[in-house]
Amino acid sequence: MKTLIKAKKGDITTLEVDAIVNAANSSLLGGGGVDGAIHRAAGKELYDFNKKLGGCPTGEAKISPGFKLPAKYIIHTVGPVWYGGNNDEDRLLADCYKNSLVLAEKNNIKSIAFPAISTGVYRFPPERAAEIAVKTVSGYLTKSDNFTEIIFICFDDGTYQIYLDAIKEI
Ligand code: AR6
């Protein structure tokens, strides 16, 4: 189970997996950070498709095709903004990972890559976020044998090291 979980350094838009996860905002219509990169790489069809999805509440997830991406699907989830930790941020972040996996499984997605949701513009402390990400995913895998590969894609060395440490703990 643990061998399915990997940390990798790189750009999520280049990955050849069944699905990549987007750290979106509740409009699902694009923004900065990883969301902006995914919308640019997928093309305008993504914006047009997502307009019909009607947004997404924090902690939940919606799916679109990957359009111009190598990935077949994009799972859009909305992470919590960090307000100090007393606003249900931990649970909402765990929900993003869990609901993304549930939606992936429903769509027969076997390989999936997650960015470090909420740790950029939304300011979630990165170590705490990585611990929640890794624990939620590994907990899910104890109940499901659907997945063949789960990648935590890290955009910088600092995030990569944090994930290597978090994966060691499971
Ligand atoms: N591949 C992988 N990871 C990336 C990439 C990439 N191409 N680009 C950035 N990251 P952020 P959030 C990392 O800010 O905190 C947007 O405007 C980045 O280094 O993208 O959930 C949305 O529209 C960081 O580690 O997402 C929302 O309004 C991680 O992705 C808001 O930002 C997440 O940083 C969401 O904020």
Side-chain angles (χ1 to χ4, degrees):
M1 179 267 282
K2 196 174 166 177
T3 53
L4 303 184
I5 298 179
K6 288 178 204 123
K8 272 192 192 170
K9 242 195 87 182
D11 177 347
I12 201 166
T13 63
T14 66
L15 296 181
E16 293 182 19
V17 285
D18 293 340
I20 63 169
V21 177
N22 182 16
N25 61 58
S26 57
S27 78
L28 301 185
L29 299 179
V34 70
D35 191 14
I38 289 171
H39 273 263
R40 277 193 299 279
K44 187 173 178 297
E45 295 97 321
L46 176 59
Y47 176 87
D48 294 336
F49 183 93
N50 279 8
K51 265 207 293 207
K52 294 181 215 131
L53 293 178
C56 182
T58 303
E60 295 185 19
K62 295 207 175 168
I63 192 164
S64 76
F67 297 105
K68 295 199 177 86
L69 292 174
K72 195 166 165 206
Y73 295 102
I74 306 165
I75 292 178
H76 306 268
T77 188
V78 183
V81 177
W82 178 260
Y83 288 115
N86 294 319
N87 258 306
D88 228 7
E89 292 96 329
D90 290 348
R91 182 186 64 79
L92 288 165
L93 186 64
D95 282 353
C96 287
Y97 287 93
K98 196 180 72 210
N99 289 327
S100 295
L101 292 173
V102 168
L103 190 55
E105 193 162 344
K106 272 191 198 145
N107 285 276
N108 204 29
I109 288 160
K110 306 285 180 194
S111 58
I112 185 166
F114 286 97
I117 300 164
S118 282
T119 65
V121 175
Y122 284 177
R123 306 182 312 269
F124 206 108
E127 287 86 358
R128 184 165 173 150
E131 191 186 321
I132 291 168
V134 168
K135 280 195 178 149
T136 305
V137 169
S138 64
Y140 191 91
L141 293 183
T142 62
K143 291 174 260 149
S144 163
D145 60 3
N146 172 71
F147 293 96
T148 56
E149 187 177 34
I150 300 193
I151 299 170
F152 289 110
I153 188 81
C154 306
F155 207 46
D156 55 75
D157 289 322
T159 305
Y160 182 55
Q161 194 53 54
I162 288 169
Y163 269 93
L164 291 178
D165 292 343
I167 289 170
K168 259 191 243 151
E169 298 300 314
I170 56 172

